[in-house]
């Protein structure tokens, strides 16, 4: 194992893992910092992505969790490190990107790191230190209204400086365009000026590749998943890994499949509607029936067993229905009831032989993975950008299991059928 990635949330971890696989690194993702012995699938991978839940926790907790991940990755053999943050740089003036970056740098004994959330394929670009979402400045985009991390300033140098003890500086697009040698030289002169965190401009994939090559001497990068595009080649050029066209290969499974949807996002609503419109088997999980104590889970499992093709079980609701359910039950209570029910159903389906499970919703995916007692995933080919098929690393007597875990808003209208066709 060569590359250790510390990701500040679960779906972000899967996203960066998918990028690494695409470029030829055999990659596994762990859910939290692994405990106990290192499974052979982890030891034998080129890259390990540790998925934390540290994006919006108090900064001190994020630092402690990230350092624990770093120490585990170092003990497992990692020599290059990547702190994966959101491509919209989700954070507050108090953290957590700056404090975590500085703690990791201190632990690694490095005076400088490259900071670049750009992901041009998804419309995230950095120009003169300002982050754009599509054609809008970050601070003009919907992100300024984010409930936990409202991004009111698109200037990443200024934003990150509020979070940092050490200086933050800019590596401008004109230097980036001149390529790796110019980048390395500018990084050195910035370091001589005491700049510890260097925000890199990148408006396209060429810029990301230049940055990766020019910053290859730095042991830690702080980045969205875009910069991962250039990293595997850097590691291969160094002779640390051999890139393989088979990085995404997972076992071929043909056993029963099912879809669980716990997201109420616009994209998931469309995917559920398309599935139903096509006449495929679908059953709605009603939170109010759950709250009344009805045997919703048991009934759903019995119904699912009776289907002759892959069933969809969904709690997905439109905004008005969601609001009235939340008014009746409370937002947190309704969410917890639904997550618990879908996780219980997932467990029942897998115990009854389901081998391929598609799950829609970030929190829902977390609950399902926990209920299935899955701690490690091998990463396969992408179904759509940011969402790969994965295979759970499980004991031999547990039977094989593939999971496609999708954050709510990902995927086109036919995502569920596309996922099942690709499994
Ligand atoms: P997303 O990735 O779209 O944010 P999540 O799974 O992270 O999806 O979050 C959706 C939340 O909404 C979960 O807590 C889920 O349990 C809850 N939920 C889903 N359907 C309903 C519903 N019909 N009524 C109330 N809460 C719901």
């Amino acid at each position: 194992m060569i590359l250790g990635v510390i990701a500040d949330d679960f779906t972000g971890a899967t996203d960066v893992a998918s990028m690494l696989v695409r470029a030829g690194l055999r990659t596994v993702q762990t859910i939290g910092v692994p405990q106990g012995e290192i499974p052979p699938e982890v030891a034998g991978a080129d890259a390990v992505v540790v998925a934390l839940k540290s994006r919006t926790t108090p900064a001190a907790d994020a630092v402690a969790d990230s350092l624990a991940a770093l120490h585990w990755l170092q003990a497992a053999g990692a020599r290059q490190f990547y702190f994966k943050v959101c491509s919209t740089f989700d954070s507050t003036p108090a953290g957590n990107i700056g404090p975590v970056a500085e703690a990791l740098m201190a632990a690694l004994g490095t005076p400088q790191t490259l900071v670049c959330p750009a992901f041009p394929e998804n419309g995230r670009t950095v120009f003169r230190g300002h982050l754009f979402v599509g054609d809008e400045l970050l601070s003009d985009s919907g992100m300024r209204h984010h409930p936990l991390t409202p991004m009111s300033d698109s200037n990443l140098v200024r934003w990150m400086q509020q979070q940092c003890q050490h200086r933050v500086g800019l590596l401008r697009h004109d230097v980036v365009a001149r390529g790796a040698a110019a980048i390395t030289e500018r990084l050195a002169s910035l370091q001589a000026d005491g700049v510890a965190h260097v925000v890199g401009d990148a408006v396209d994939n060429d810029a990301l590749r230049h940055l990766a090559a020019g910053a290859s001497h730095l042991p830690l990068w702080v980045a969205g998943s875009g910069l991962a595009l250039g990293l595997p080649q850097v590691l291969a050029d160094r002779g640390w890994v051999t890139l393989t066209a088979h990085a995404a290969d997972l076992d071929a499974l043909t056993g029963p499949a099912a879809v669980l949807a716990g997201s109420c996002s616009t994209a998931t609503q469309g995917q559920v509607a398309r599935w139903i419109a096509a006449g495929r088997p679908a059953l709605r999980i009603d939170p109010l029936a759950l709250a009344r104590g009805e045997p919703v889970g048991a009934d759903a499992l019995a119904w699912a067993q009776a289907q002759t093709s892959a069933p969809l079980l969904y709690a997905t609701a439109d905004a008005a229905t969601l609001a009235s359910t939340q008014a009746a039950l409370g937002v947190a209570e309704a969410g917890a009831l639904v997550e618990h029910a879908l996780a219980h159903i997932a467990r029942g389906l897998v115990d009854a032989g389901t081998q391929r499970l598609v799950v829609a919703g970030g929190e829902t995916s977390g609950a399902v993975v926990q209920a299935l007692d899955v701690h490690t995933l091998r990463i396969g080919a992408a179904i759509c950008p940011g969402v790969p098929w994965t295979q759970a690393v499980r004991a031999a007597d547990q039977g094989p299991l593939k999971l496609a875990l999708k954050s709510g808003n990902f995927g086109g209208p036919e995502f569920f059928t596309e996922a099942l066709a690709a499994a």
Side-chain angles (χ1 to χ4, degrees), residues 262-265 287 315-317 322 325-326 334-335 338-339 360-364 407-409:
S263 163
C264 296
S265 66
T316 308
L322 177 64
T325 306
Q326 288 176 332
V338 169
E339 282 172 35
E363 293 298 324
T364 308
S407 137
N409 252 328

Side-chain angles (χ1 to χ4, degrees), residues 102-113:
E102 295 198 326
L104 295 175
M105 288 165 72
L108 289 166
T110 177
Q112 196 175 57
T113 188

Side-chain angles (χ1 to χ4, degrees), residues 156-292:
L156 297 179
V157 175
R158 195 162 53 200
W159 189 259
M160 190 162 174
Q161 189 66 74
Q162 300 179 86
Q163 308 174 2
C164 290
Q165 307 281 326
H166 298 284
R167 275 184 64 199
V168 184
L170 175 65
L171 185 62
R172 225 173 48 193
H173 66 97
D174 48 346
V175 179
V176 174
R178 292 195 345 245
I183 290 168
T184 310
E185 196 184 311
R186 182 57 60 89
L187 287 170
S189 71
L190 285 167
Q191 190 175 317
D193 289 344
V195 174
H197 310 279
V198 182
V199 173
D201 273 354
V203 295
D204 54 28
N205 285 349
D206 282 344
L208 289 174
R209 288 195 190 91
H210 289 325
L211 281 172
S216 65
H217 61 291
L218 299 177
L220 172 72
W221 297 350
V222 178
S225 48
L227 196 60
L229 190 102
L231 182 54
Q233 192 57 52
V234 166
L235 300 176
D237 290 346
R238 220 182 269 167
W240 284 7
V241 292
T242 306
L243 302 182
T244 164
H246 298 289
D249 290 358
L250 300 178
D251 296 349
L253 301 184
T254 52
V259 184
L260 295 174
S263 163
C264 296
S265 66
T266 312
T268 304
Q269 284 186 50
Q271 290 154 358
V272 168
R274 192 63 75 91
W275 180 277
I276 294 169
R280 299 195 174 88
L283 183 73
R284 179 170 164 257
I285 304 300
D286 178 7
L288 297 173
L290 286 168
R292 289 193 297 270

